[in-house]
């Protein structure tokens, strides 16, 4: 039997505020209907999109979750999957975070470790954050500003931390001789990030940047105590700054989180911390995972991108199961990188041939159709990104492909009979495998022969499709990919996947766009203060990428999320683009 306790202090007030605003309090018009038996909220389709479904303040129990692959890394400085950023907030805290709960406010940021949002200098090149008082690690030692500055500096090393984002590397004024805290331990990095005292973190930027509060919600600002840092091995035991800590961690198999008794809810208005334990299985077959979720053997699919096609046939015809689902449109693009490293795709006309030959309907079907996959995408930026515009440079009748134009493009690039190349995908993602097979069939109609290779999602970017040497040596021409916004504007969506200056030896998320004209437009857009003018420039970036034919859009994502049996406080968070994991409780 689970223990039942009311939330304490600030966490109680925060959750009550969220529930009240979203219909979870008394008298709200959006309050979830209760079952006749009184045993929790009645299941309703899309109930988690606009309100907190099945609200509760009861603590206790075990949240059981599963992941269809291995984690890229549990180290906050070495991870870049959306699910990891969402789940990681159980055991780390960052300077800011997305506001918990459903609705458009979930796209805004609120203070987390910091007591308020950042204070910019008059020129917009210096940002200052003040930490809350009373912050502690799991061992009771204080969390200081120096730990945050050190965490940012350690994440600079993209050889050791290949997975993590590089926004701060590119924005901050690093010393020229700084190679990272391990390679150059004696180099002073305070020209980039400093801690003048125990509660103040100061960032020094190369140029003005308006979205710093969004940048610092990313996991690189989760504090790391220097004396506990073990470099690449830190992922084996991350020192917790959040409400949970690691009890066990069996790499590639499972891990368990338990309560961190040094976490003080008075310092954390955002996390209710309801379950007593969180158990995570790794490398669970995706279809088996869906079956466990349907049956109630687990309550949460960690990846959070929706059920697989095999489960749709069971869920959609069954009113009771469909009522357990939410169908959000998310600011995510599923796409194929068309990589110009290897011939003949270094020729733009050969890349255009791929664009024209692709069967967009078959690709959409691979991702689950319009309901569970999304709207056919014709350009890079998805709906939901501020200023997005739809356009189509490669139209075809019925979106089935234009084989005549594809063959003309092949002739123009000197490959009239087609060519051979390799396409990669994440083997633990059935939708990506289906996409690769659809591409293979469509491109074969114009003589383009694909060899399909699947790789583990945990190392896909660090060792295979995002590793420059591997891509070059193995003739990789196409790679299945997906990208969601780090925040909902042009920079937050586009920069990491289209700026050639982000390309490094491994861990690349831009696999294909290497266009100086794109880079120039990025600089122009990111330094334009007028919002309307800036948004127009991001559309120009989008158009230039599509003219370059180096990204083949597949779908602007929708997904079908299944609420686990026995979950409380279920809400789709627009910032996370999935359920808000830190709100969850269990009955």
């Amino acid at each position: 039997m689970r223990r039942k306790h009311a939330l304490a202090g600030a966490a109680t007030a925060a959750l009550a505020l969220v529930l009240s605003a979203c219909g979870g309090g008394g008298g709200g018009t959006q309050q979830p209907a209760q079952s006749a038996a009184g045993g929790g909220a009645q299941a309703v389709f899309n109930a988690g999109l606009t309100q907190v479904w099945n609200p509760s303040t009861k603590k206790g129990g075990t949240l059981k979750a599963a992941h269809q692959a291995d984690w890229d890394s549990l180290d906050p400085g070495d991870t870049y999957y959306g699910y990891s950023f969402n789940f990681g907030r159980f055991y780390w805290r960052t300077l800011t975070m997305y506001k918990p709960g459903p609705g458009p406010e979930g796209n805004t940021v609120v203070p987390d470790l910091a007591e308020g949002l950042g204070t910019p200098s008059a020129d917009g090149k210096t940002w200052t954050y003040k930490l809350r008082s009373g912050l502690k690690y799991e061992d009771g030692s204080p969390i200081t500003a120096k730990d945050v500055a050190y965490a940012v500096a350690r994440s600079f090393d993209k050889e050791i931390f290949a997975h993590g984002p590089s926004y701060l590397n590119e924005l901050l004024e690093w010393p020229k001789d700084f190679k990272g805290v391990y390679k150059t331990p004696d180099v002073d990095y305070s020209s980039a990030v400093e801690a003048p005292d125990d509660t103040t973190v100061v960032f020094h930027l190369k140029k003005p940047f308006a979205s710093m509060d969004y940048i610092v919600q990313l996991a690189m600002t989760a504090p790391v105590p220097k004396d506990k840092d073990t470099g690449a091995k830190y992922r084996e035991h991350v020192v917790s700054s959040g409400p949970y800590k690691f009890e066990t961690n069996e790499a590639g198999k499972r891990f368990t989180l338990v309560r961190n008794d040094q976490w003080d809810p008075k310092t954390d208005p955002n996390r209710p911390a309801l379950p007593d334990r969180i158990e995570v299985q790794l490398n669970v077959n995706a279809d088996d995972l869906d079956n466990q979720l349907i049956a109630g053997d687990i309550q949460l699919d960690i990846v959070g991108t929706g059920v697989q096609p095999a489960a749709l046939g069971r869920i959609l015809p069954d009113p009771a199961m469909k009522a357990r689902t939410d169908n959000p449109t998310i600011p995510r693009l599923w796409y194929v990188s068309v990589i110009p490293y290897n011939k003949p795709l270094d020729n733009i006309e050969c890349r255009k041939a791929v664009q024209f030959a692709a069967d967009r309907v078959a690709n959409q079907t691979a991702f689950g159709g319009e309901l569970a996959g999304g709207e056919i995408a014709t350009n890079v930026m998805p709906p939901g990104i501020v200023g997005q515009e739809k356009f189509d440079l490669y139209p075809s009748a019925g979106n089935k492909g234009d084989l005549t134009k594809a063959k003309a493009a092949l002739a123009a690039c000197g490959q009239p009979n087609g060519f051979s190349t390799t396409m990669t995908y994440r083997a633990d993602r059935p939708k990506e495998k289906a996409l690769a097979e659809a591409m293979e069939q469509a491109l074969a109609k114009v003589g383009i022969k694909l060899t399909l290779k699947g790789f583990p999602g945990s190392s896909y970017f660090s060792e295979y499709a995002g590793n420059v040497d591997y891509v070059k040596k193995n003739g990789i021409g196409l790679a299945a990919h997906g990208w969601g916004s780090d925040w909902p504007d042009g920079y937050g969506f586009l920069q990491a996947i289209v700026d050639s200056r982000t390309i490094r030896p491994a861990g690349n998320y831009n696999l294909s766009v290497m266009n100086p004209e794109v880079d120039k437009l990025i600089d122009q857009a990111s330094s334009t203060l007028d919002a309307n003018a800036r948004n127009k420039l991001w559309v120009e970036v989008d158009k230039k990428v599509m003219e370059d034919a180096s990204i083949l859009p597949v779908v602007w994502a929708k997904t079908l999320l299944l609420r686990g049996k026995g979950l409380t406080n279920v809400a789709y968070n627009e910032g996370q683009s999935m359920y808000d994991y830190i709100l969850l409780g269990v009955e």
Side-chain angles (χ1 to χ4, degrees):
M1 179 181 294
R2 68 181 180 85
R3 291 182 297 121
K4 299 182 178 182
H5 298 291
L7 286 171
T12 306
L15 184 58
L17 181 62
V18 170
L19 300 183
S20 176
C22 300
T29 57
Q30 294 181 337
Q31 183 172 351
Q34 301 297 309
S35 67
Q42 179 178 333
V44 179
F45 178 64
N46 275 344
L49 299 187
T50 58
Q51 62 188 1
V52 176
W53 181 81
N54 201 16
S56 174
T57 57
K58 300 294 177 61
K59 289 192 174 184
T62 298
L63 174 62
K64 295 183 178 181
H67 184 354
Q68 61 198 31
D70 197 359
W71 225 270
D72 59 346
S73 174
L74 293 166
D75 186 328
D78 189 33
T79 186
Y80 205 178
Y81 277 111
Y83 69 80
S84 188
F85 286 171
N86 190 359
F87 185 92
R89 297 173 304 152
F90 281 124
Y91 64 91
W92 73 52
R93 296 180 65 181
T94 47
L95 289 174
T96 63
M97 64 183 291
Y98 282 113
K99 185 175 182 178
E105 287 191 346
N107 257 329
T108 63
V109 287
V110 295
D112 186 8
L113 284 175
E115 62 183 16
L117 298 179
T119 302
S121 60
D123 64 1
K125 293 175 64 176
T126 301
W127 284 76
T128 302
Y129 294 84
K130 298 288 288 186
L131 299 191
R132 302 176 192 269
S133 61
L135 300 169
K136 294 180 181 180
Y137 290 111
E138 64 179 73
D139 62 2
S141 60
I143 296 170
T144 70
K146 290 180 175 61
D147 300 333
V148 176
Y150 177 75
V152 171
R154 78 189 281 274
S155 73
F156 178 91
D157 191 331
K158 295 306 176 192
E159 291 184 16
I160 293 178
F161 305 119
H163 298 100
S166 58
Y167 292 118
L168 287 176
N169 283 19
E170 294 144 21
L171 287 169
L172 297 179
E173 194 67 78
W174 298 102
K176 291 183 179 179
D177 54 348
F178 183 63
K179 306 298 181 186
V181 298
Y182 311 115
K183 298 184 180 73
T184 53
D186 298 325
V187 173
D188 179 5
Y189 49 78
S190 61
S191 63
V193 56
E194 63 173 328
D197 58 54
D198 283 347
T199 62
T200 307
V201 183
V202 183
F203 295 95
H204 302 285
L205 280 60
K206 297 174 184 175
K207 59 184 179 181
F209 188 72
S211 299
M212 198 64 182
D213 286 332
Y214 280 99
I215 291 276
V216 299
Q217 60 85 24
L218 296 172
M220 311 91 67
T221 71
V224 175
K226 185 177 181 179
D227 62 348
K228 301 289 179 63
D229 183 17
T230 52
K233 292 186 176 181
Y234 188 67
R235 64 174 64 189
E236 297 172 9
H237 187 97
V238 177
V239 180
S240 172
S241 54
Y244 296 91
K245 63 183 180 180
F246 286 90
E247 180 183 63
T248 61
N249 182 12
E250 300 177 56
K253 295 181 180 179
R254 63 185 64 85
F255 63 84
T256 300
L257 301 180
V258 295
R259 291 193 181 279
N260 171 13
D261 62 5
Q262 296 299 312
W263 170 77
D264 184 351
K266 294 178 181 178
T267 72
D268 193 344
N270 301 307
R271 295 167 175 82
L274 298 183
D276 284 339
R277 295 172 61 84
I278 303 168
E279 297 176 353
V280 178
Q281 304 174 54
L282 302 174
N283 286 309
V284 177
N285 174 273
D287 292 324
D288 290 343
L289 190 156
D290 283 345
N291 291 335
Q292 290 188 50
L293 191 61
I294 289 169
D297 296 330
I298 62 170
Q299 295 134 334
L300 180 65
D301 172 8
I302 289 286
V303 172
T305 54
V307 298
Q308 304 302 324
L312 293 176
R314 295 179 59 191
I315 293 171
L316 296 179
D318 184 331
M321 278 202 283
K322 184 178 178 182
R324 289 172 53 194
T325 65
D326 296 290
N327 188 215
T329 297
I330 59 181
R332 170 177 287 274
L333 174 74
W334 295 109
Y335 65 96
V336 177
S337 294
V338 188
I339 303 173
Y341 275 124
N342 299 305
K343 293 182 180 298
L345 289 172
D346 59 336
N347 187 308
I348 189 172
E349 294 297 330
C350 279
R351 298 198 298 274
K352 288 182 178 180
V354 173
Q355 298 277 348
F356 279 119
D359 184 333
R360 292 171 172 175
V361 174
N363 289 351
Q364 180 190 46
T365 301
F367 273 91
E370 186 171 1
L371 179 67
E375 178 184 355
I376 288 174
T378 56
N379 54 281
V380 181
M381 277 200 297
I385 301 299
V386 176
Q388 186 258 15
E389 293 182 13
K390 298 179 182 180
F391 58 90
D392 190 356
L393 302 186
Y394 307 98
S396 63
N399 281 314
K400 298 291 288 181
D402 189 326
L403 302 188
T404 300
K405 288 186 177 179
K407 290 176 181 177
L410 285 172
C413 76
Q415 303 288 333
N417 298 317
F419 58 87
S420 297
T421 191
T422 295
M423 179 171 177
T424 66
Y425 60 93
R426 284 171 279 197
D428 39 59
R429 299 196 175 196
K431 295 176 183 178
E432 290 192 5
K433 182 175 186 291
L435 170 65
E437 291 168 348
M439 288 291 294
E440 179 185 29
Q441 293 172 19
L443 269 57
K445 295 177 182 178
V446 295
I448 301 175
K449 299 178 179 62
L450 296 185
T451 298
L452 307 184
K453 290 187 177 181
F455 298 108
S458 59
S459 53
Y460 187 68
F461 295 107
S462 58
E463 297 181 25
Y464 303 106
N467 184 300
V468 173
D469 283 347
Y470 186 91
V471 165
K472 289 180 177 179
K473 290 177 182 177
N474 292 275
I476 309 301
L478 305 179
H481 201 348
W483 188 257
S485 65
D486 285 325
W487 60 92
D489 70 0
Y491 194 99
F493 185 81
L494 285 171
Q495 190 266 350
I497 59 170
V498 304
D499 189 334
S500 71
R501 295 162 296 186
T502 67
I503 296 175
R504 51 194 190 253
N508 290 294
Y509 300 96
N510 175 15
L511 307 177
S512 57
V513 186
M514 307 172 198
N515 189 323
E517 294 181 33
V518 171
D519 296 345
K520 184 177 179 180
L521 279 169
I522 289 171
D523 289 342
Q524 187 179 350
S526 61
S527 61
T528 298
L529 298 180
D530 180 81
N532 289 331
R534 183 170 63 250
N535 292 338
K536 293 292 184 184
L537 285 168
W538 287 119
V539 173
E540 292 304 309
V541 173
D542 195 345
K543 289 179 178 177
K544 186 62 67 175
V545 171
M546 291 307 303
E547 289 171 1
D548 190 61
S550 46
I551 284 179
L552 170 68
V554 176
V555 289
W556 291 313
K558 284 178 70 72
T559 188
L560 193 71
L561 302 173
L562 182 65
R563 291 177 230 123
K565 289 182 177 180
L567 281 184
T568 64
N569 297 328
V570 184
Y572 174 80
N573 182 267
E574 293 189 11
Q576 301 294 340
S577 297
M578 57 188 74
Y579 289 138
D580 199 332
Y581 293 168
I582 61 169
L583 289 184
L584 294 174
V586 289
E587 292 179 341

